[in-house]
Amino acid sequence: EIVLTQSPTTMAASPGEKVTLNCLASSSVSYMNWYQQKSGASPKLWIYGTSNLASGVPNRFSGSGSGTSYSLTISSMEAEDVATYYCLQLSSYPPTFGSGTKLEIK
Amino acid sequence: QVTLKESGPGILQPSQTLSLTCTFSGFSLSTYGMGVGWIRQPSGKGLEWLANIWWDDDKYYNPSLKNRLTISKDTSNNQAFLKITNVDTADTATYYCARIGATGFYYFDYWGQGVMVTVSS
């Protein structure tokens, strides 16, 4: 089983600040998916195939990475970005999720 | 428009069998390449993948729970099912079903609202 380690666990960013969330895989994966989950809501697909934004996702978000290291970047933090972000690898079984990064606003 | 909705018993006792239903619309599990997965989330905790079922009835299970899980589908009624046997308090969680999207990559693209399940004596 591939273990995904997300960092940081929690972070707070000021409006307009650049934010980078990380996801480290215990073995190489072909691509990474990211989900945004707001309190009390279902997870939403945010980025798929490492760098493709899901429908409706603002273009201040981007994804990158390869092998064992992947990241989600917000170029300019906004209040609506407050959420927990999870990475998910589905390139090998069993699918595994990271433990999440909780993003707050200062 | 793709929608999914989970239903379940709400509360059950330890050692019982949990039966969950996912009723969906906007796609068919008889269509080549389609799949549905189940994922759960204990309150305040992270996401755990449980099982996937595909259009061709291929099935995959989380190895840590495999002996307790059974996934199935009813394509004529656009439903997928998950059974978990011998539940205990650790199975208390919100259970989600999600469609598996595939565009060269695999991902859960549409999710249901989730159904909360409590295991308590």
Side-chain angles (χ1 to χ4, degrees), chain B residues 25-112:
Chain B
S25 63
F27 69 99
S28 173
L29 256 180
S30 60
T31 299
Y32 177 88
M34 283 296 170
V36 165
W38 286 93
I39 302 103
R40 71 181 179 183
Q41 184 174 38
S43 181
K45 297 191 176 180
L47 300 160
E48 179 183 31
W49 171 75
L50 299 175
N52 289 348
I53 190 165
W54 295 91
W55 85 99
D56 58 358
D57 212 36
D58 209 3
K59 300 164 186 173
Y60 294 86
Y61 296 103
N62 186 319
S64 66
L65 293 158
K66 182 176 180 178
N67 293 337
R68 300 174 52 215
L69 301 178
T70 303
I71 193 170
S72 60
K73 61 182 172 67
D74 178 351
T75 53
S76 58
N77 288 307
N78 283 342
Q79 292 180 315
F81 310 97
L82 184 71
K83 289 187 189 296
I84 305 179
T85 60
N86 193 27
V87 298
D88 69 10
T89 55
D91 296 309
T92 294
T94 296
Y95 287 76
Y96 298 100
C97 63
R99 190 183 79 160
I100 302 172
T103 56
F105 308 104
Y106 292 102
Y107 42 83
F108 298 113
D109 56 356
Y110 292 90
W111 295 58

Side-chain angles (χ1 to χ4, degrees), chain A residues 6-11 21-22 83-86 99-103:
Chain A
Q6 289 189 243
S7 62
T9 302
T10 305
M11 72 171 293
L21 311 182
N22 301 297
T84 300
Y85 293 85
Y86 294 93
S99 54
T101 292
K102 186 175 183 180
L103 179 59

Side-chain angles (χ1 to χ4, degrees), chain A:
Chain A
E1 171 177 318
I2 295 176
V3 176
L4 301 181
T5 302
Q6 289 189 243
S7 62
T9 302
T10 305
M11 72 171 293
S14 301
E17 183 178 348
K18 182 178 180 180
V19 172
T20 299
L21 311 182
N22 301 297
C23 181
L24 191 66
S26 59
S27 298
S28 181
V29 297
S30 302
Y31 58 91
M32 192 62 69
N33 305 309
W34 293 88
Y35 290 81
Q36 181 195 69
Q37 186 177 33
K38 297 196 173 185
S39 181
S42 305
K44 287 184 179 178
L45 178 65
W46 216 242
I47 295 174
Y48 65 94
T50 301
S51 60
N52 302 284
L53 300 186
S55 177
V57 174
N59 60 14
R60 63 180 178 276
F61 284 85
S62 63
S64 63
S66 65
T68 60
S69 182
Y70 293 84
S71 61
L72 178 157
T73 299
I74 307 172
S75 60
S76 178
M77 176 74 181
E78 295 194 10
E80 68 176 15
D81 302 335
V82 168
T84 300
Y85 293 85
Y86 294 93
C87 54
L88 162 69
Q89 72 81 20
L90 250 170
S91 59
S92 74
Y93 272 86
T96 47
F97 288 91
S99 54
T101 292
K102 186 175 183 180
L103 179 59
E104 301 170 330
I105 196 153
K106 286 182 185 174

